[in-house]
Amino acid sequence: MAGHGTSSVHPQRFDLVVAGGLLADPLHAAPAPGDLAVRDGRIAAVGAPGTLAGEETLDASGLLVAPGLIDLHTHVYAPGTYLGVPPDEIGVRQGVTTVVDAGSCGSDHWDDFADNVVGPADTRVLSWLNISRHGLVHGRRELSHGPDDIDEAATEKLLRAHPDRVRGLKIRMSASVLGDSGLEPLRAAKRVAGRVGRPVMVHVGNEPPHLGDVLDLLGDGDVVTHAFHGKPGGLFGSEAQARAAVARGVRLDVGHGSASLSFATAERALAAGFTPHTISTDLHHRNVEGPVHSLVETLTKLVALGLTPHEAIRCSTLHAAQVVGMEDELGTLRAGSAADLTLLRPTEGPVTLTDADGATRTGTTRLSAAAVVRAGRPLTVDGAP
Ligand SMILES: [Zn+2]
């Protein structure tokens, strides 16, 4: 059983105390000063500044202490797919403790992905398993060959066999992926996910299929990634269906990517009440040098568009954890949760940011990753002093 704060008669000594920072717990309305203690890889206690003692102290002065960031849309199947990037490069080394691979891997390649990517990584790696058995291993037309692209039984079996890792299904519903397959692959994904009680993450892009027809098939807990792209159609081409979808619990995810975050679309969406539920990157080999760079940079972009840093953090912690059904373990600073933490430095001053279409905006706050703790262990972040 985890510790109970400072109420014990005997002063407790913890493995690690993160001291002097502002605790950014998304369960609260705003960050507040406090210290956080870790024992045996779990958050053991949260207390007033200066009240907790540990074998080791991590100085968080001037920093926001957030739950470990969760990137809900990444491509980390390297070298199994040409666009994969090793998980730690965009994970712990960028201050992100959990990455969810979004369909790089399908049922045919799960064993290889689990052995060679999930197992060795310091970063926690979860999966949206592609409904296409090939994932992205054979290129990017993974649903254009007809019924043979999908093995419903094998996919269901993996969802059931690896519930701790495979948290849902991924499908890309855009013209270039589907060929003549239409909506049927999405119906298959919904059937399989529904049998196991898991959500589906749907990539949307160039139509057909019409976004409204895609949205009409989604339900509570499903995720639309690339929701704020600037291509023809999009949210405002299916606005009534989008409103109805959000009302029944469909979640809008950023999924920045090389072509899928438009500041203009996102500004219009925010003004119209389509708030992003989660902020993710779609990071892969070809966009990590720009325009995406990192999850923390993507949070900075949403802050420039009007979210507070605390709201942006909530999107990539509590909300992301809820999407994958792991909010008891991840996404908050509650005692008993995994001791995955991201320490963020907010820097005030003009910061110019670029979206996927090359448009720029100037924000007033830059977030950067200063330190990370994964399962109770401090790890080095790239570029940190
Ligand atoms: Zn993607």
Side-chain angles (χ1 to χ4, degrees), residues 74-142:
T74 65
H75 294 282
V76 295
Y77 191 6
T81 58
Y82 75 97
L83 50 61
V85 58
D88 291 339
E89 281 186 22
I90 59 168
V92 287
R93 283 171 47 194
Q94 291 190 338
V96 175
T97 54
T98 298
V99 298
V100 192
D101 184 83
S104 306
C105 174
S107 55
D108 283 0
H109 301 93
W110 172 260
D111 290 344
D112 179 60
F113 180 71
D115 290 348
N116 295 306
V117 177
V118 177
D122 285 329
T123 309
R124 183 193 309 268
V125 180
L126 307 175
S127 168
W128 299 100
L129 196 68
N130 204 314
I131 188 62
S132 165
R133 62 192 300 165
H134 327 293
L136 303 182
V137 170
H138 301 316
R140 304 184 71 189
R141 293 180 53 78
E142 69 271 16

Side-chain angles (χ1 to χ4, degrees), residues 73 75 170 282:
H73 184 159
H75 294 282
K170 173 78 188 296
D282 190 18

Side-chain angles (χ1 to χ4, degrees), residues 208-220:
H210 184 52
L211 175 60
D213 296 336
V214 170
L215 291 169
D216 283 347
L217 291 176
L218 304 183
D220 187 19

